[in-house]
Amino acid sequence: MLQPVPPTGTPSMVRPTWAFLLAHPAHFIAMGGGSGLSRFAPGTVGTLWAWAAFVLLQPVMSDVAWAVLIGVGALAGWWACTVTAQHLRIADSGHIVWDEVVAFWLVLWLVSPAGFWGQLVAFALFRFFDAVKFGPMAWADQAFKGFGPRGGFGILLDDFAAAFCTLLVIAIWRY
C-alpha cells in the first residue's frame, strides 16, 4: 500500500489501477466504485454513475433517506477523499469522483420530481459549473487546496459550490 504524502515536496502522482481501487476502502469510495478509473473524463463518468445510482435508488428512498445518505456520504467522502488524495500523491486528482457523486445526488434530489430532460439539464449545468470553475467554484477549489482534512474538504467543497450554482440556475429558470 502507498504511504501518505506529506504536504511538502512535489512527489509524482500515482496512476490508479483496479488494484489501487481495491487496496483501501477509502479508494473505493473516493473513486466512485471504479467510475473514477475512466481514462476519459472521469468526473463526467462519476457524475453519470451518480445519476444511474439515483435513478435506481429514487423509487425506494424517502426524503429523509436521501438527506441521511447525502450527509453521511459527504462525511465519509471527506475521509475517503483525504486518504485517497494522499495515496495518489496529488491534492485533487481527477480520478477522485465521490465529490461529483454526492454533490450531484444533492442536485437531483432537490430538483425532483424531474423527468429525464430535467435531469439532463441538471447534469449539463452541473458538469459545466464543475468544469469551468469560476466564481464560487474557483474560490472553493483554491482556498482549500492541499493534503490532509483541509484538502479533503476542498475536494468536496468546489463540487457543492457547483451544485449550488446549478440549483440556482434551475430555480431561476423554474420561477
Side-chain angles (χ1 to χ4, degrees):
M1 180 153 72
L2 301 170
Q3 295 300 313
V5 176
T8 58
T10 55
S12 61
M13 178 183 154
V14 173
R15 179 159 205 95
T17 62
W18 283 100
F20 179 85
L21 176 84
L22 299 172
H24 195 288
H27 302 171
F28 189 82
I29 294 166
M31 297 175 72
S35 60
L37 290 175
S38 173
R39 291 188 178 266
F40 176 74
T44 300
V45 174
T47 307
L48 287 170
W49 183 93
W51 190 2
F54 181 87
V55 168
L56 291 174
L57 291 172
Q58 181 62 10
V60 297
M61 298 277 283
S62 67
D63 282 341
V64 170
W66 275 114
V68 169
L69 179 62
I70 292 166
V72 170
L75 291 174
W78 185 358
W79 164 77
C81 292
T82 299
V83 169
T84 304
Q86 289 174 331
H87 292 178
L88 284 172
R89 301 180 185 148
I90 187 165
D92 189 358
S93 169
H95 298 286
I96 295 174
V97 298
W98 187 252
D99 48 336
E100 280 88 4
V101 171
V102 73
F104 193 56
W105 279 348
L106 178 65
V107 169
L108 290 173
W109 174 47
L110 293 177
V111 301
S112 290
F116 173 78
W117 295 109
Q119 291 178 5
L120 181 63
V121 167
F123 174 83
L125 286 169
F126 178 76
R127 290 307 308 144
F128 170 76
F129 286 121
D130 188 34
V132 174
K133 294 206 189 314
F134 63 88
M137 288 72 63
W139 172 82
D141 190 49
Q142 292 304 313
F144 292 90
K145 253 321 182 226
F147 291 96
R150 179 180 173 85
F153 180 75
I155 291 171
L156 292 165
L157 186 60
D158 71 309
D159 288 272
F160 278 110
F164 172 77
C165 290
T166 299
L167 291 166
L168 184 62
V169 168
I170 290 171
I172 292 168
W173 174 47
R174 281 186 175 175
Y175 305 104

